[in-house]
C-alpha cells in the first residue's frame, strides 16, 4: 500500500530563496536516500509551503521520523531560522495515484 506524507509549514518570505535552495540541495537528496521512498513534490505559495512524499509502505513512511539523515535535515532547517509556525504532518494511505510526467514538466 502506497502511503502519502504531507508536511506543511510557513517560511519567512524575505528568506524564500534560502528555503528553495535548502529544498533543492539538502531535502531532496535526503528523501531520495530513504528506503521505501517513491516520490516527492514540493509546493510553495508565498509563505505557505508543503512537501508531499510518497512511500512504498506505512512502515517506510514511519521510519523517516527516526532516520539519521532526516533528523540531521530537520535540525539544519530548524537552525536556519526561515521556518515559521504552524507546522503539521499528515500521513494517509493513497487509494488512487496516476502521473504522466514528461521531461518538460520537471523543473
Amino acid at each position: 500500500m502506497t502511503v502519502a506524507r504531507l508536511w506543511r509549514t510557513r517560511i519567512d518570505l524575505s528568506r524564500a530563496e534560502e528555503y528553495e535552495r535548502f529544498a533543492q540541495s539538502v531535502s531532496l537528496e535526503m528523501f531520495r536516500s530513504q528506503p521505501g521512498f517513491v516520490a516527492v513534490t514540493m509546493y510553495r505559495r508565498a509563505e505557505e509551503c508543503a512537501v508531499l512524499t510518497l512511500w512504498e509502505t506505512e512502515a517506510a513512511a514511519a521510519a523517516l521520523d527516526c532516520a539519521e539523515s532526516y533528523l540531521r535535515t530537520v535540525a539544519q532547517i530548524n537552525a536556519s531560522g526561515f521556518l515559521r509556525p504552524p507546522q503539521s504532518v499528515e500521513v494517509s494511505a493513497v487509494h488512487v495515484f496516476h502521473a504522466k510526467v514528461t521531461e518538460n514538466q520537471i523543473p
Side-chain angles (χ1 to χ4, degrees):
M1 158 185 61
T2 303
V3 173
R5 181 183 188 274
L6 179 63
W7 175 68
R8 294 179 186 270
T9 191
R10 291 180 176 263
I11 59 167
D12 176 344
L13 199 50
S14 70
R15 299 180 65 194
E17 287 184 25
E18 288 176 75
Y19 172 79
E20 297 289 343
R21 282 192 304 273
F22 188 93
Q24 287 287 330
S25 65
V26 179
S27 297
L28 184 59
E29 291 308 313
M30 179 276 302
F31 285 123
R32 287 179 174 163
S33 73
Q34 302 305 314
F37 168 78
V38 175
V40 61
T41 57
M42 299 181 188
Y43 311 86
R44 187 173 70 79
R45 181 180 57 212
E47 71 277 357
E48 297 177 1
C49 301
V51 177
L52 174 66
T53 51
L54 298 179
W55 301 89
E56 292 175 352
T57 64
E58 190 173 346
L64 178 68
D65 292 332
C66 302
E68 187 177 316
S69 60
Y70 173 74
L71 295 173
R72 268 195 318 272
T73 301
V74 168
Q76 270 186 276
I77 201 167
N78 285 334
S80 73
F82 50 72
L83 296 184
R84 298 290 177 261
Q87 294 180 19
S88 65
V89 175
E90 301 169 37
V91 178
S92 61
V94 174
H95 65 96
V96 176
F97 175 77
H98 172 77
K100 181 179 178 183
V101 179
T102 65
E103 219 173 286
N104 294 340
Q105 294 172 310
I106 300 172

